[in-house]
């Protein structure tokens, strides 16, 4: 995955609070097995921490900045995105939102942008407090994506994904798929408390995978607002394989096999490895969000 060296990155779409201190905060998830189970439950779930039992809903103090706002100083151009992980993620956020902004406009709607928050360790959100053990998530109450960049190491070491820049891009695009669902009124269908292979929770997750594929299909032809040229200049077959590998690694069946040695479809919340790959490919091959109806 390559970016236009001369493109300007819009860091206003990312809030960097890495290194911030949360005064008086309570740790809501422990490490070890408890943290891993929380990660499995929350991984790419697309809902706020309070729906995962991570917060009691009490008001939380705001974070106090220490060495935060790194991206604002360091991530200026596409050249930076080609050399730094955090800048690459800024560029993916920019590209994803450029696409959805234009897609909504094409369909007669208005896209409302969402920020991505880079954090370290734990973070307070409008959906409650969460630690990094939850994995990446989208909070519909404040319309923000939350991401601890250390998660991508976990994706390789704990979940066996091959990694790579596009694996990271897939995760970000999936979370923005949840934002699109929130704007279109689909996301609430996952909030009925049901689990299982045919549950709305799984269908919402698979649709977000499909939306990530739709963005990937269009990424190299979506003009950046600052230059009129695509911010992403190339995606290779290896990039797509890395994305598919990441999708499979977080399939419910793969996670259950690794954690409990057996597969229990009645408790699925995201779909199988095969389903997640299938729906990402559906979006990638068609490039059409209308082909992402997982509720049929």
């Amino acid at each position: 995955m390559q970016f236009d060296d001369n493109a300007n990155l819009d860091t206003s779409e990312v809030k960097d609070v890495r290194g911030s201190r949360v005064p008086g905060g309570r740790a809501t998830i422990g490490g070890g097995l408890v943290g891993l189970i929380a990660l499995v439950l929350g991984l790419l779930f697309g809902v706020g921490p309070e729906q995962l039992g991570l917060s009691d809903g009490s008001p939380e103090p705001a974070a106090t900045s220490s060495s935060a706002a790194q991206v604002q100083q360091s991530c200026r151009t596409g050249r930076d995105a080609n050399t730094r992980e955090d800048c690459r993620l800024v560029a993916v956020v920019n590209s994803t939102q450029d696409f959805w902004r234009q897609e909504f406009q094409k369909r007669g709607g208005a896209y409302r942008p969402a920020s991505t928050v880079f954090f370290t360790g734990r973070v307070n959100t409008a959906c409650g407090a969460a630690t990094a053990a939850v994995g990446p998530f989208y909070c519909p109450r404040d319309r923000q994506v939350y991401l601890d960049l250390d998660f991508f190491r976990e994706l390789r070491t704990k979940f066996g994904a091959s990694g790579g820049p596009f694996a990271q891009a897939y995760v970000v695009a999936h979370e923005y798929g949840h934002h699109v669902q929130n704007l279109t009124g689909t996301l609430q269908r996952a909030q009925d408390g049901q689990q299982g292979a045919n549950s709305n929770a799984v269908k919402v997750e698979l649709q977000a995978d499909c939306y990530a594929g739709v963005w990937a299909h269009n990424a190299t032809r979506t003009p950046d607002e600052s230059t009129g040229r695509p911010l992403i200049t190339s995606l290779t077959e290896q990039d797509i394989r890395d994305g598919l590998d990441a999708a499979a690694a977080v399939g419910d069946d793969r996670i259950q096999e690794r954690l409990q040695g057996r597969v229990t479809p009645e408790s699925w919340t995201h779909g199988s490895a095969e389903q997640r790959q299938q729906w990402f490919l559906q979006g990638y091959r068609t490039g059409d969000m209308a082909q992402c109806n997982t509720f049929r």
Side-chain angles (χ1 to χ4, degrees):
M1 182 168 61
Q2 288 292 314
F3 300 91
D4 178 358
D5 281 343
N6 297 315
N8 295 317
L9 300 186
D10 182 1
T11 57
S12 71
E13 294 186 341
V14 173
K15 300 176 182 178
D16 189 355
V17 298
R18 290 173 294 171
S20 296
R21 181 173 57 86
V22 182
R26 299 182 303 278
T28 54
I29 303 178
L33 181 61
V34 174
L36 182 57
I37 290 173
L39 175 60
V40 171
L41 291 175
L43 188 68
L44 309 180
F45 197 72
V47 298
E50 86 287 358
Q51 286 143 308
L52 301 174
L54 308 185
S55 171
D56 62 7
S58 302
E60 291 284 341
T64 300
S65 178
S66 56
S67 59
Q70 298 174 46
V71 299
Q72 280 72 23
Q73 280 87 44
S74 303
C75 303
R76 304 287 188 176
T77 68
R79 188 183 304 277
D80 299 322
N82 284 322
T83 57
R84 286 178 56 120
E85 178 186 59
D86 51 0
C87 300
R88 179 168 63 242
L89 294 171
V90 172
V92 170
V93 170
N94 290 170
S95 173
T96 304
Q97 298 213 97
D98 281 345
F99 167 70
W100 287 116
R101 189 178 295 110
Q102 294 167 37
E103 184 69 11
F104 270 58
Q105 184 177 18
K106 184 194 309 180
R107 294 175 179 273
Y111 177 79
R112 296 181 62 183
S115 295
T116 288
V117 180
F118 293 167
F119 72 97
T120 303
R122 72 185 303 268
V123 68
N124 296 323
T125 82
C127 295
T131 72
V134 181
F137 64 92
Y138 171 72
C139 173
R141 291 187 181 178
D142 59 22
R143 293 190 172 96
Q144 295 190 130
V145 172
Y146 291 86
L147 178 64
D148 186 321
L149 271 60
D150 285 343
F151 166 77
F152 297 117
R153 184 185 70 251
E154 303 279 316
L155 190 61
R156 296 190 304 272
T157 59
K158 286 188 177 179
F159 293 91
S162 59
F166 192 79
Q168 300 175 356
Y170 154 74
V171 171
V172 173
H174 174 100
E175 295 305 333
Y176 274 92
H178 286 314
H179 179 57
V180 170
Q181 291 171 325
N182 194 28
L183 295 179
T184 58
T186 307
L187 185 60
Q188 62 188 6
R189 298 177 73 166
Q191 311 307 312
D192 59 8
Q194 300 299 308
Q195 296 180 342
N198 294 315
S199 66
N200 282 338
V202 166
K203 293 173 182 177
V204 162
E205 292 301 325
L206 295 178
Q207 186 177 65
D209 283 333
C210 188
Y211 285 166
V214 170
W215 161 75
H217 175 95
N218 293 282
T220 59
R221 55 177 67 95
T222 299
D224 176 68
E225 291 188 347
S226 67
T227 65
R229 302 186 304 270
L231 177 55
I232 297 179
T233 58
S234 69
L235 287 178
T236 66
E237 291 184 5
Q238 183 59 52
D239 288 326
I240 302 305
R241 284 196 293 270
D242 286 344
L244 288 168
D245 185 71
V250 292
D252 284 322
D253 52 343
R254 294 271 186 96
I255 292 173
Q256 289 177 342
E257 283 274 15
R258 188 172 293 109
L259 269 183
Q260 60 192 28
R262 67 186 190 281
V263 176
T264 53
E266 64 272 13
S267 63
W268 286 4
T269 56
H270 290 73
S272 68
E274 181 181 2
Q275 287 175 314
R276 301 201 71 168
Q277 289 183 320
Q278 172 194 339
W279 280 101
F280 174 83
L281 281 174
Q282 170 81 353
Y284 179 67
R285 288 169 175 162
T286 66
D288 182 4
M289 68 181 297
Q291 302 301 314
C292 294
N293 185 2
T294 56
F295 295 91
R296 289 181 297 201

